[in-house]
Amino acid sequence: MSNLKTLISIVGPTAIGKTALAIELANHFQTEIISADSRQFYKEMEIGTAKPTQTELAAAKHHFINSHSVNQLFSTGDFEIEGLKVLDEIFKTHDLAIMVGGSGLYVNALINGLDEMPEIDLAVRDQLNNLFKTEGISPIREQLAKHDPEYYAKVDQQNPQRMIRGLEVFLSTGQKLSSMLSATKKERPFNIIKIGLNIERATLYNRINSRVDKMMHDGLVEEVKSLTEFRSYNALNTVGYSEIFDYLDQKLSIEEAVSNIKQNTRRFAKRQLTWFRRDEEIRWFEPNQQQVVIKYIESVMK
């Protein structure tokens, strides 16, 4: 491998153990971590996003955790620009940096870059936001599936912001967002080593269920209550938050809400794996193979 700087990208489904591996690598290689988890940017969302603990944050320097407020829009394009700036800074004093996260669009933005996005007709955006407020996600989901099935297949379907984004691009321009997501990779002035974590499905699902139970124990209901004034923001229309809002609205019992969070998180994990498995450059490991991963990285960097 050339003497360029190196970015190690760690991906995989939620609850798999990406944070633990990232910290282990950051300590081993004496470097810093960029988080590519689209909900951990938001400082108001703590419990439901399974952020690294204070101890974990203290163990290695993290970027893009608690960096924004839920009422700020922080798009994939913003992340590409800001992330490259942070990488520049890290590379001034380190040969290697680590990116970790399960948000495929954000990981892709930093690694491959995004195409220039077209101007959106703001009237279309308002119309879709109003449709979502009055009728929920179903009509948006149906239209997106019809107009841009490729984007629909890979988007997080629990995330209204992403679905509205796909639909507003089509309705504003007549072009599919899926055809604009960089077909041509931008050249990056650093090497990239891609690490994926996966584990037998039953074990992963047990981890997810345990994590949700822990969130409930840690006070997820209170956290969601405290965010009621922000509930119309897209960051809050996501797994773990929307189900608790349904409970607070008395649409679900607490048991049903918890069961739905577990089920929706398992579905989300499945979609994450489908997304990441398409990238043939990812080398897959199990979460407990931390030393094996280190050896692999060192062998590639020789």
Side-chain angles (χ1 to χ4, degrees), residues 113-130:
L114 297 169
D115 287 346
E116 294 304 314
M117 284 293 142
E119 285 298 308
I120 294 302
D121 181 342
L122 293 179
V124 169
R125 176 174 291 174
D126 287 345
Q127 207 180 334
L128 291 175
N129 281 328
N130 286 332

Side-chain angles (χ1 to χ4, degrees), residues 10-21 100-102 196-201 203-205 207-208 211 269 272-273 284-288 290:
I10 302 170
V11 299
T14 190
I16 192 79
K18 296 185 294 294
T19 297
L21 176 62
V100 60
L197 290 184
N198 197 8
I199 202 167
E200 194 247 330
R201 185 161 288 183
T203 309
L204 175 62
Y205 286 178
R207 285 185 179 208
I208 287 170
R211 178 184 272 187
Q272 286 174 301
L273 278 168
W284 292 92
F285 298 89
E286 291 200 356
N288 58 359
Q290 296 176 340

